[in-house]
Amino acid sequence: MSYDAIVLAGGAARRLGGADKPTLPVGTRTLLDRVLAACPDAAATVVVGARRPTARPVEWTLETPPGGGPVAALHAGLRHTAAGLVLVLSADLPFLDRDTVRALLTAAAAGPGDGALVRDPEGRDQPLVAAYRAEPLRREIALLATEHGTLHGLPLRALTAELDLTRITPAAPLASFDCDTWEDLATARARIREHGTVLDQWINAAKNELGIDLDVDVKTLLDLARDAAHGVARPAAPLTTFLVGYAAARAEAAGADPAQAVAEASRKAAALALRWAAEAESLDPGPASPEGNGSP
């Protein structure tokens, strides 16, 4: 479905001593880039805040005057969007994933109300992890501006209280975890290195660094590396996976689908490793005969 994304990247970050929070790294990627990675298919992506380097192109804007708070920032971002659905995110969500974004957009599009937001594990609404219908969002912001004479300094609850919003609980419990303090940042950095998630986090970081947008079949590649290491020699594992990547890149250049190219190259290399191991086993003469070397 078509949607635009607005990422709010302003704020004074007082509890971080005024640090530029969106640029702080978690797993070697900035918080802002992590949020942008969760919504790569937005028709337009608008970041409200000072310009910073980002891994993908975005449009930049600022509320007037700067430092006007989240409602004023949201209004500034809306002026650069045209889609009927608007994803609204803060720039400090290290664990936001594409599945949560998709769930928000689906709920906002399918529901009878004005949008959908995440309700965190503690039962709190998260209006900056949300998808809104653009028309009611613009309408309520205009009404707030008329009522108060300004949007400067207004809290988000003044806006969301007037909207009919669906609450969703994402499958990823940390999807709405934000980094407001140094302790939060340390927690995020530790969590991505936990055993159950470290491979996914590392692969995402590596893909970002190398400019690769490809779903990686981790199990297939690990199985291939295991077969090469056990059936040939331990150094064969990294060398084989490199050759698979090279072969897949050549196939893609010739017009093949990238994911299918990786899968086909992995299949061929895995079969080769198993044949190699089987041949080596056939050369093993087995234990010496108990009768010795004499003649019968």
Side-chain angles (χ1 to χ4, degrees), residues 34-276:
R34 285 182 165 272
V35 172
L36 293 175
C39 53
D41 55 346
T45 302
V46 183
V47 180
V48 186
R51 286 179 178 268
R52 307 165 174 96
T54 53
R56 69 175 179 86
V58 299
E59 185 172 355
W60 296 91
T61 191
L62 281 170
E63 70 272 29
T64 304
V71 177
L74 179 53
H75 181 233
L78 273 173
R79 293 199 296 267
H80 297 267
T81 64
L85 279 179
V86 180
L87 180 72
V88 177
L89 305 168
S90 61
D92 61 349
L93 303 166
F95 302 110
L96 181 68
D97 60 356
R98 297 185 189 185
D99 288 343
T100 299
V101 166
R102 188 57 48 186
L104 282 168
L105 293 168
T106 300
D114 300 323
L117 53 72
V118 163
R119 175 164 284 172
D120 70 19
E122 286 72 43
R124 296 171 299 200
D125 289 349
Q126 299 294 328
L128 293 183
V129 193
Y132 300 95
R133 293 182 182 271
E135 189 278 327
L137 190 62
R138 288 190 170 93
R139 181 192 67 228
E140 293 303 328
I141 287 177
L143 289 173
L144 283 174
T146 300
E147 179 182 353
H148 296 274
T150 181
L151 297 174
H152 191 94
L154 292 183
L156 270 175
R157 64 178 176 273
L159 173 61
T160 56
E162 303 301 324
L163 296 171
D164 178 15
L165 300 172
T166 299
R167 274 71 179 170
I168 72 164
T169 302
L174 293 176
S176 61
F177 179 92
D178 56 3
C179 292
D180 287 330
T181 67
W182 291 114
E183 183 180 0
D184 293 337
L185 194 71
T187 297
R189 288 171 172 170
R191 280 185 178 274
I192 67 163
R193 288 168 172 79
E194 291 177 352
H195 178 69
T197 61
V198 68
L199 276 180
D200 285 340
Q201 293 290 345
W202 165 250
I203 288 170
N204 287 333
K207 288 195 300 183
N208 180 73
E209 188 72 16
L210 298 173
I212 298 171
D213 185 14
L214 174 70
D215 288 335
V216 177
D217 189 337
V218 174
K219 182 180 184 303
T220 295
L221 290 176
L222 288 179
D223 287 348
L224 168 60
R226 178 203 63 207
D227 292 341
H230 291 175
V232 185
R234 185 169 297 177
L239 292 172
T240 303
T241 53
F242 165 78
L243 292 172
V244 163
Y246 184 79
R250 290 184 62 186
E252 181 186 0
D257 175 77
Q260 290 179 356
V262 171
E264 179 63 11
S266 298
R267 183 192 66 77
K268 288 180 177 179
L272 174 63
L274 293 176
R275 294 200 307 270
W276 184 287

